[in-house]
Amino acid sequence: MKIKIIKVIIWTLVIIWMSGIFYLSHQSSQASGKVSEAVAETVYKNVDLTPERFEYKKDSWLIAHYEQLMRKLAHLFLYVVLGGLLAMAISLYTKKKNRIFLFSGIIGIIYAVSDETHQYFIPGRSFLIKDILIDSVGVIIGSVLFILLLLVIYKLKKVRNK
């Protein structure tokens, strides 16, 4: 009974996270752009990435580049978490690390493709292979991090039992 509750909780987290990604993807380009621009401006104003602060360029040029960077990092972050959640969910059915990696990767990458396909139909948004690649790398990183966490927990239990 206990494992059923855990499965429901973890799969619910996966669905909530996927729904959040869907919600963000469903925003129009204008709404999404406003959020990205606000984040980029905040980063630009508060993080000095170079000693010269690119003084030879206009601020709007830098903000546009920060915005693009923030968008890609957001893609990566969202899918790292998704990969970790999927790996956690899959680990409830198998202890074989290669299967956890394989199935969480397949599900995550299929979701990334479906997410980009969904964006294609949103005004001002587009289907980008580059985003699918970033999302896929995120899923892989998240899955690997979860598997590494499992290995660390296993090693700690082994040491503790000696």
Side-chain angles (χ1 to χ4, degrees), residues 83 86-87 90 99-109 139 143 147:
L86 286 167
I90 300 299
R99 287 189 180 175
I100 295 170
F101 178 75
L102 178 68
F103 290 116
S104 60
I106 289 171
I107 294 168
I109 292 169
V139 166
S143 298
I147 291 167

Side-chain angles (χ1 to χ4, degrees), residues 18-113:
M18 286 177 157
S19 298
I21 292 172
F22 181 87
Y23 172 78
L24 293 171
S25 295
H26 198 69
Q27 293 178 328
S28 69
S29 62
Q30 292 168 334
S32 177
K34 285 180 184 177
V35 171
S36 297
E37 187 176 330
V39 171
E41 283 183 32
T42 301
V43 170
Y44 174 71
K45 289 176 183 172
N46 295 300
V47 179
D48 189 1
L49 295 178
T50 64
E52 302 85 22
R53 285 276 294 183
F54 294 102
E55 290 174 12
Y56 62 93
K57 296 286 187 179
K58 292 183 179 179
D59 284 351
S60 60
W61 179 86
L62 271 176
I63 290 170
H65 282 76
Y66 280 160
E67 180 182 348
Q68 187 68 7
L69 178 63
M70 294 300 108
R71 284 178 170 274
K72 300 313 169 194
L73 288 175
H75 268 270
L76 187 67
F77 170 76
L78 290 170
Y79 281 87
V80 165
V81 174
L82 180 60
L85 288 171
L86 286 167
M88 186 185 307
I90 300 299
S91 73
L92 297 171
Y93 301 93
T94 182
K95 298 301 173 208
K96 294 183 177 181
K97 310 303 182 263
N98 59 344
R99 287 189 180 175
I100 295 170
F101 178 75
L102 178 68
F103 290 116
S104 60
I106 289 171
I107 294 168
I109 292 169
I110 288 171
Y111 189 76
V113 171

